[in-house]
Amino acid sequence: MQWQTHEISNQVADLQDYNIFTSDTVLMTSLAQYQADWYQNTLKTSGQELGSSAVLEAAALSNTHLPELHTHDRQGKRIDRVDFHPSWHQLLGMLRKQGLHASPWSQPRLGAHVARAAGYFMQSQVESGSLCPSTMTFASIPVLKNEVFLFAELKDKLYSLEHDPRDLPIAQKKSILIGMGMTEKQGGSDVRTNTTTAVALGAEGRGQAYALTGHKWFFSAPMCDAHLVLAKTETGLSCFFVPRWCPDGSKNAILVQRLKDKLGNKSNSSSEVEFHNAYGVMIGNEGRGIPTIIEMANLTRLDCVIGSAGLMRQALVQAIHHARHRTAFGKKLVDQPLMRNVLADLALESEAATRLMLHLAAAIDAPDDNLQRAWKRIMTPAAKFWICKRALEFTGECMEVWGGNGYVETGPMARLYREAPVNSIWEGSGNVMCLDVLRAMDRDPEGLQLLLQFWNSSTSEQVRQMVQELKKDLALTEFREKNARRITQKLVLTAQAFLMSEYAEKDVAIAFTHSRMDAECGRVYGSLGSEISNTLLDHIISRAFTE
Ligand SMILES: Cc1cc2nc3c(=O)[nH]c(=O)nc-3n(C[C@H](O)[C@H](O)[C@H](O)COP(=O)(O)OP(=O)(O)OC[C@H]3O[C@@H](n4cnc5c(N)ncnc54)[C@H](O)[C@@H]3O)c2cc1C
């Protein structure tokens, strides 16, 4: 080219056409530990597809061609329809085909939740917005199963492996998606302040039809075929199945007022809606709306953990890839001692997040085991608090590994960074999660004791020491609420140190535990002490991502 002014050099090629599964040693080797290795071949195939340039392109497209709301048709009739770029439907189709919206319910077997978590973790590394309706559908199934007649109508469409994007009444669809509507303008964490009302159209109570009037301030994925919605009857807050179309084939009176202009999670439409005598069927008992929908929220919280662990994993992989190929001051970045400290510390954090999310998924597979129930009930909100929050700093640090190239929208790092905060906010924000941890411990003191005993059985002296420190904090009855974050942080670090000590390579586990106990360490990534040798730093980085 005549106008060429310089040679382009030292710019790192995109990471594409790699296998997301086989490049992840921790994920691959953990499956057998949870009796989920039967899923390995599926994950291998999916890992190749997800890491392909075509799918990465679809993920980027769905975040640049954003959902568009059309409230009315040409003649002025309400349609309240959101249109998406075809890439959105491609991604939903992939999630569906793999059964990530339902498989542990439709095909229960040992390790089913871990297998699904592994698949979901991989998908979350590529695109996050499309996870939202898949998660809500997944989490709604155990709630809907309790409604025998309704579930009989919905079951095949919920379990279907085919994505059906058509905007039609449920009866005419091959498959359906379900959302949830709780948050109103005056309160999201405190849903007791909900003002939406429900009036019986005939007989009252569970399974009966109601007319809902009011609003929801956040109502994600309004194109879902139905939402589980909280509304008040005279008895109190109750839960309703509110379909997009009424049984008579007319459009339900759910008016989508506008789409939220969000920081991240751009591909997913989140809306504000009003209900104008909208049709809904009561599910669960009247006045028991919160306990009914909480069953769903506990599962969505686990998906926040998995999703954030996936974001961290992808940010790490991108950071290591960049550092391996970018040179500064005469050396590859990955060979600079300080950068090695940063990358290794990030790799330890990501590994601990991955191990904890797999362990929590395994706990759902064993509902009759008291210890596993305590992992699920006490440690899910704790992990939701910690891992979702760690993802914020983590993605920022990985972005910085890319230097200026990390900060621009032409690469993947900006999207990962913008995506990070949402998991920490929705489905119960940080403080609310920590208060939930206190509540769960109070309700199940025996479960807490089982967890402490289990962790105290660790072969690692450091872990046993962490348990003793944790016990001291748990014994303090004064200022408990004020200290909820401190207690939750310790709970998670102890659990992660335990899992690392039991399942990770010994030196790697020691590096994690030492650094997380060291008061000097942990305020920023890259503060691992000199007791962690250069050889170990190299080893941690190279096993973290095998290109
Ligand atoms: C992109 C996006 C999509 C969403 N989609 C949906 C959806 O589909 N359906 C739905 O129902 N909701 C949805 N939400 C709403 C979300 O669940 C709420 O925003 C969230 O639960 C917090 O509620 P709030 O916004 O009313 O904040 P508030 O309840 O006002 O809380 C504000 C802050 O105060 C803290 N806080 C609250 N209570 C206490 C306390 N007792 N002690 C200490 N701190 C406290 C919280 O942790 C939070 O940090 C969505 C939110 C976002 C961002």
Side-chain angles (χ1 to χ4, degrees):
M1 283 184 286
Q2 282 173 347
W3 57 87
Q4 190 170 338
T5 61
H6 62 284
E7 291 289 327
I8 298 174
S9 65
N10 202 22
Q11 287 286 320
V12 178
D14 289 343
L15 175 61
Q16 57 188 14
D17 297 320
Y18 77 107
N19 191 316
I20 290 185
F21 180 62
T22 56
S23 55
D24 187 342
T25 311
V26 172
L27 183 65
M28 274 207 305
T29 54
S30 299
L31 292 177
Q33 175 191 319
Y34 295 112
Q35 291 85 40
D37 40 347
W38 50 266
Y39 203 54
Q40 216 150 25
N41 285 341
T42 307
L43 291 173
K44 201 169 166 185
T45 310
S46 150
Q48 196 61 42
E49 190 186 6
L50 282 167
S52 68
S53 44
V55 172
L56 298 176
E57 170 80 3
L61 281 173
S62 69
N63 282 277
T64 44
H65 298 272
L66 303 189
E68 278 179 14
L69 172 64
H70 299 279
T71 51
H72 297 79
D73 70 4
R74 197 169 59 79
Q75 288 91 15
K77 289 200 293 290
R78 288 288 316 200
I79 49 172
D80 300 287
R81 196 187 68 220
V82 182
D83 288 342
F84 296 87
H85 188 264
S87 53
W88 165 260
H89 293 297
Q90 181 184 341
L91 292 160
L92 277 184
M94 288 175 67
L95 280 152
R96 194 100 200 183
K97 191 176 76 184
Q98 212 183 322
L100 298 177
H101 68 293
S103 55
W105 317 124
S106 57
Q107 292 166 303
R109 63 180 285 188
L110 206 58
H113 279 283
V114 172
R116 185 245 170 205
Y120 193 89
F121 171 74
M122 288 179 9
Q123 189 92 20
S124 71
Q125 294 181 45
V126 172
E127 211 285 309
S128 295
S130 48
L131 302 176
C132 173
S134 312
T135 281
M136 292 194 289
T137 304
F138 170 74
S140 73
I141 292 175
V143 180
L144 290 169
K145 262 186 162 174
N146 295 330
E147 311 304 308
V148 178
F149 295 114
L150 181 62
F151 192 67
E153 273 173 42
L154 304 178
K155 184 178 163 195
D156 291 347
K157 295 171 204 284
L158 284 167
Y159 289 171
S160 165
L161 299 181
E162 188 181 344
H163 171 55
D164 183 348
R166 295 171 306 155
D167 185 20
L168 292 172
I170 288 175
Q172 296 173 43
K173 293 205 57 177
K174 293 180 189 152
S175 67
I176 54 173
L177 288 167
I178 309 288
M180 70 202 292
M182 299 190 283
T183 309
E184 297 186 0
K185 292 189 177 93
Q186 68 285 350
S189 311
D190 188 2
V191 290
R192 292 169 307 178
T193 63
N194 271 198
T195 57
T196 299
T197 54
V199 177
L201 292 171
E204 294 179 358
R206 191 171 188 164
Q208 300 300 334
Y210 281 75
L212 273 66
T213 303
H215 81 284
K216 293 293 160 186
W217 184 228
F218 281 91
F219 194 77
S220 283
M223 291 308 286
C224 281
D225 299 280
H227 282 73
L228 303 195
V229 172
L230 287 183
K232 269 184 177 153
T233 63
E234 277 178 8
T235 309
L237 213 50
S238 307
C239 186
F240 296 87
F241 178 83
V242 182
R244 195 171 149 72
W245 294 80
C246 298
D248 66 4
S250 62
K251 193 185 145 302
N252 204 358
I254 308 163
L255 308 192
V256 182
Q257 302 299 92
R258 61 173 168 175
L259 297 187
K260 296 285 191 189
D261 184 5
K262 296 178 288 183
L263 168 70
N265 202 254
K266 298 268 187 188
S267 64
N268 178 34
S269 59
S270 299
S271 67
E272 296 163 19
V273 294
E274 287 186 3
F275 306 113
H276 291 244
N277 277 324
Y279 168 85
V281 175
M282 186 183 282
I283 61 171
N285 288 327
E286 187 168 2
R288 300 287 297 158
I290 298 177
T292 302
I293 212 159
I294 274 295
E295 191 176 349
M296 181 171 177
N298 280 332
L299 288 163
T300 56
R301 285 170 184 173
L302 174 62
D303 274 10
C304 291
V305 175
I306 305 171
S308 288
L311 274 183
M312 286 160 81
R313 169 72 195 165
Q314 179 60 198
L316 173 72
V317 161
Q318 293 287 356
I320 294 177
H321 171 73
H322 188 85
R324 279 179 183 156
H325 298 283
R326 174 84 173 177
T327 301
F329 302 99
K331 274 190 206 167
K332 292 285 185 235
L333 287 177
V334 76
D335 294 327
Q336 306 281 0
L338 183 52
M339 184 58 91
R340 276 208 297 257
N341 195 333
V342 173
L343 292 172
D345 202 2
L346 290 165
L348 290 174
E349 189 75 27
S350 170
E351 176 166 349
T354 305
R355 291 192 183 283
L356 181 54
M357 72 87 183
L358 288 172
H359 202 81
L360 292 174
I364 310 184
D365 271 326
D368 300 328
D369 181 302
N370 289 342
L371 174 61
Q372 297 309 324
R373 227 183 4 254
W375 273 100
K376 180 181 154 198
R377 185 58 195 96
I378 298 171
M379 293 310 295
T380 303
K384 156 86 165 71
F385 163 68
W386 183 253
I387 292 178
C388 299
K389 213 161 272 301
R390 292 301 275 171
L392 287 162
E393 189 191 342
F394 192 102
T395 48
E397 196 66 71
C398 292
M399 176 197 278
E400 194 167 323
V401 173
W402 275 52
N405 282 347
Y407 196 70
V408 293
E409 295 287 355
T410 39
M413 306 312 279
R415 173 148 61 89
L416 292 172
Y417 184 69
R418 279 188 281 97
E419 202 61 56
V422 74
N423 279 335
S424 190
I425 295 175
W426 64 14
E427 305 305 332
S429 310
N431 287 353
V432 171
M433 286 300 89
C434 294
L435 296 176
D436 194 44
V437 170
L438 295 189
R439 201 173 310 116
M441 292 192 301
D442 288 345
R443 285 199 183 148
D444 186 11
E446 282 149 39
L448 175 64
Q449 288 313 314
L450 285 175
L451 282 173
L452 294 172
Q453 276 165 22
F454 186 59
W455 297 335
N456 209 32
S457 70
S458 172
T459 45
S460 154
E461 195 190 322
Q462 275 86 31
V463 174
R464 294 198 301 275
Q465 232 173 299
M466 288 173 96
V467 176
Q468 297 319 311
E469 290 299 317
L470 172 62
K471 278 184 174 169
K472 282 186 208 158
D473 272 19
L474 290 171
L476 295 173
T477 47
E478 221 181 354
F479 308 124
R480 206 157 160 262
E481 186 168 329
K482 194 179 85 180
N483 289 333
R485 279 189 178 222
R486 189 189 159 96
I487 292 171
T488 305
Q489 171 178 308
K490 278 198 177 169
L491 270 170
V492 177
L493 286 176
T494 309
Q496 288 187 324
F498 174 85
L499 294 172
M500 292 290 280
S501 300
E502 297 312 300
Y503 304 124
E505 286 176 26
K506 192 162 180 241
D507 286 350
V508 176
I510 290 173
F512 177 84
T513 311
H514 263 291
S515 55
R516 272 58 186 171
M517 284 180 75
D518 179 355
E520 304 293 316
C521 191
R523 295 198 185 121
V524 287
Y525 288 108
S527 321
L528 297 175
S530 48
E531 74 282 357
I532 298 170
S533 71
N534 287 339
T535 321
L536 181 54
L537 291 183
D538 285 346
H539 176 63
I540 292 171
I541 297 165
S542 50
R543 83 192 256 287
F545 178 45
T546 49
E547 265 183 270

